[in-house]
Amino acid sequence: MAVKDRDRFSTATRIRLLGEQTAARVYRSQTKRQARRSRLTGRAALLALVLCSMVVALAYPIRQYVSQRAEIADMRRQKEEAAERVEELRDTKARWQDDAYAEQQIRRRLHYVMPGETGYIVVDPDAAKQSRADVAEADRPWYSNIWDGIDKADASDQ
């Protein structure tokens, strides 16, 4: 027994026990630190909540802003197209103010000729095939052809 007591109080035994106790304390403190680091703190949770609420609160206004910018760009494009169309119509109106242009169009579209001139019409073979299709329209009553013409005019405007 004396040997046992002597081992118990020997320097080597005490140093070994002291080392084991120190290692146990270090291990416990490290695990506590790791546990603390892995937990979400109250400040971090509050910050995450504030950020999420800001994102949710700003999502709709930002979406509206983007869609309105797209509409504005579309309206500007339509405005430019309308301005180009107005310029084309002004050019056409100015051309029609010229008597020579009006006379040229009347002769071309209505096949008018000036007194003393001889008018010729050259028939295209492809156009002759199309005119045969128009023969079926000639068999119908005149008012049907008028209504078809009105319908075609409406369809071409759209």
Side-chain angles (χ1 to χ4, degrees):
M1 256 242 189
V3 174
K4 245 182 171 181
D5 287 336
R6 205 178 88 201
D7 276 347
R8 188 171 161 203
F9 295 108
S10 72
T11 307
T13 307
R14 278 189 254 152
I15 290 175
R16 191 182 80 231
L17 285 175
L18 186 62
E20 289 174 358
Q21 290 172 354
T22 306
R25 278 191 222 128
V26 168
Y27 178 74
R28 278 193 305 247
S29 67
Q30 284 179 350
T31 56
K32 285 181 183 178
R33 260 191 244 137
Q34 287 174 353
R36 268 190 245 130
R37 285 183 189 159
S38 65
R39 281 188 267 168
L40 184 66
T41 64
R43 287 182 189 170
L46 183 62
L47 180 64
L49 180 67
V50 168
L51 287 176
C52 288
S53 63
M54 286 179 66
V55 167
V56 168
L58 293 177
Y60 183 73
I62 289 174
R63 186 175 58 128
Q64 287 294 101
Y65 174 77
V66 170
S67 68
Q68 287 174 357
R69 296 304 298 175
E71 286 180 21
I72 289 170
D74 189 40
M75 291 292 182
R76 285 185 179 150
R77 184 186 51 78
Q78 287 178 1
K79 178 185 170 188
E80 291 172 3
E81 289 176 359
E84 290 173 5
R85 178 75 177 135
V86 166
E87 279 300 314
E88 290 174 8
L89 291 174
R90 283 184 181 153
D91 290 344
T92 304
K93 181 181 175 185
R95 273 189 262 138
W96 277 102
Q97 298 296 325
D98 184 23
D99 290 337
Y101 179 78
E103 181 180 322
Q104 176 191 13
Q105 292 300 314
I106 290 169
R107 293 178 108 188
R108 188 176 64 85
R109 293 180 183 188
L110 301 177
H111 305 289
Y112 277 25
V113 291
M114 297 300 285
E117 291 180 350
T118 304
Y120 295 98
I121 298 177
V122 178
V123 179
D124 184 22
D126 294 332
K129 292 176 185 174
Q130 290 178 348
S131 67
R132 287 187 198 122
D134 294 339
V135 171
E137 292 180 2
D139 293 340
R140 298 186 324 178
W142 61 271
Y143 49 84
S144 297
N145 292 335
I146 290 176
W147 283 116
D148 287 343
I150 291 172
D151 290 339
K152 287 178 186 176
D154 280 343
S156 67
D157 288 343
Q158 295 173 352

